[in-house]
Amino acid sequence: MNMPAVFWVSPEPMGLTFSRVALSLVVKVPLEELEQHMVANPAVVGEELAREVARYARQHKLGYYPALDYFLEHGGVDPDLLNALESMTWLVTGLVREEIKTRLRPVFSTIRFESIQALAYTMPTVRPGQNNALLRLGEHFTPDQVKLTLIATSIRHRDTPETAIKMAERMTWRWLHEHFEAIDITNIRYLPPEGDDTHA
């Protein structure tokens, strides 16, 4: 007796889907940890750079403190200090990258870094004449803070973009905050699931 063939197809295997989010954050590495890997004291390098940059801004009557890229091109700051900072930022960005990959590997299926940069190379937000300007400038130039953007993919039960964002933010904070002196998630957005380009 011939029986008609019956096929059952699940429209969504186990109700799971890929969820992608882009996270931007700034992390601060404890100076005690950095000093174990560096010959010079990163805080001292930051303070010395702040003095030279502040002196340059004062001599040229600037109403702002230039980013370090300016001095790389035009001079005006001790090149040995700039070289020391470059070595330190290379080290700290590498440490942060590996730490985040290690800590978030159990949480997300894949992680891809879009950008990673030492905060010391960004434009200082402090201005000449502000309270504690020199101190704040030294903190800015100290190579212990890194800003980065990463794309994280996870396999979840179907949920809304809002739920995916909240989950990614909560898990990122939970798994990272104990391993850095400070962490600030500055932006997080949901990405369409199309395209699988999120390999670490």
Side-chain angles (χ1 to χ4, degrees):
M1 180 178 179
N2 294 327
M3 298 292 292
V6 177
F7 298 94
W8 179 79
V9 178
S10 172
E12 297 173 8
M14 300 179 63
L16 298 178
T17 187
F18 286 96
S19 177
R20 296 197 311 158
V21 295
L23 294 120
S24 296
L25 55 155
V26 176
V27 297
K28 185 174 184 178
V29 182
L31 283 174
E32 299 78 13
E33 181 177 339
L34 291 179
E35 289 170 356
Q36 297 175 10
H37 302 277
M38 298 177 177
V39 176
N41 187 315
V44 171
V45 171
E47 292 168 1
E48 290 298 324
L49 275 170
R51 290 190 186 96
E52 296 211 5
V53 171
R55 181 171 59 248
Y56 183 94
R58 186 170 56 254
Q59 291 174 347
H60 292 78
K61 296 181 170 58
L62 301 179
Y64 66 97
Y65 295 124
L68 291 181
D69 285 345
Y70 174 88
F71 300 101
L72 289 171
E73 296 179 7
H74 300 90
V77 166
D78 184 352
D80 289 338
L81 277 176
L82 294 174
N83 289 336
L85 183 74
E86 182 181 10
S87 298
M88 290 178 170
T89 55
W90 180 84
L91 177 61
V92 71
T93 53
L95 289 172
V96 167
R97 181 186 179 94
E98 290 306 310
E99 183 74 8
I100 289 179
K101 284 179 64 176
T102 299
R103 299 300 173 185
L104 294 185
R105 187 174 291 128
V107 183
F108 298 106
S109 302
T110 59
I111 298 171
R112 177 166 63 86
F113 289 87
E114 288 279 275
S115 63
I116 182 165
Q117 180 187 28
L119 206 65
Y121 284 107
T122 63
M123 189 75 177
T125 56
V126 60
R127 297 277 180 171
Q130 291 182 337
N131 291 333
N132 300 317
L134 190 60
L135 175 63
R136 292 167 59 190
L137 191 62
E139 292 173 347
H140 175 83
F141 288 140
T142 298
D144 60 348
Q145 297 184 78
V146 174
K147 70 171 190 174
L148 56 110
T149 298
L150 59 88
I151 293 179
T153 304
S154 57
I155 301 175
R156 302 282 184 192
H157 290 283
R158 279 217 177 270
D159 50 20
T160 64
E162 292 77 12
T163 302
I165 286 173
K166 290 179 181 178
M167 176 66 72
E169 183 176 22
R170 183 164 59 248
M171 297 304 290
T172 299
W173 169 261
R174 176 182 173 184
W175 287 77
L176 291 183
H177 81 277
E178 292 183 354
H179 304 284
F180 292 102
E181 181 175 332
I183 175 171
D184 180 21
I185 299 176
T186 57
N187 188 44
I188 180 169
R189 56 192 173 88
Y190 183 81
L191 299 176
E194 294 80 15
D196 186 15
D197 60 348
T198 57
H199 295 288

